[in-house]
Amino acid sequence: MKLSLEQKSIPYLTTQFAQAGKVVFISIRPKRGELPQTVQEVYAIEGIGLEGDHYASKGGKRQVTLIQAEHIKAVASMIGQAEVDPLLLRRNIVVEGINLQALKGKKFRIGNAVLEHTGDCHPCSRMEENLGNGGYNAMRGHGGITARILFSGLISLDDALSPMEQPQEFPSPTQHSATDRGLQP
């Protein structure tokens, strides 16, 4: 596939996804310190969080936590296990088939809800307790993302996760050359 000059720009490339992601696991934690509970669906409440989750409160950037199924497999490999139970990772939603880090600065739809990427979900000391020696370090760089809920809606297993931004007009690389930015070509 031959790309046009516009299609080679980073702003354009960051809007391109091979496929939507898919929700493969959902959990909520009704109380602090407890293991999460697996659910088939959950209602995402705008500006609050997931119904029934102890993190649900007005405001905040960590209303929902998401992790990639592919990263859970990598973590399992790094701690010498065949698999890791997603409940031990304490994330709300596990998705497969999409790079969550590529959602940085983007809004995305899961089921009927609209969320916005707010940051990385870094591991805590609980990962060492839950996964054993080296669990914290295995999770570094693989902890997923945090998001806030922009529009309420139901999120269910097998729902698609789709970025909302559509390709727009982007400046071509020649419009902002290296010399325009004071760099030597």
Side-chain angles (χ1 to χ4, degrees), residues 41-46 49-52 112-113 149 151-155:
E41 60 186 26
V42 67
Y43 192 72
I45 305 166
E46 179 181 334
L50 300 178
E51 189 173 58
N112 296 324
I149 302 165
F151 297 102
S152 299
L154 190 65
I155 300 172

Side-chain angles (χ1 to χ4, degrees), residues 5 26 35 58 78 80 91-92 94 118-119 129-130 142 150-151 158 164 172:
L5 202 52
I26 305 170
L35 271 179
K58 194 155 182 75
M78 286 183 254
R91 303 304 189 260
N92 297 121
V94 179
T118 56
E129 294 172 11
N130 290 356
H142 298 285
L150 300 179
F151 297 102
D158 296 325
M164 293 186 67
S172 77

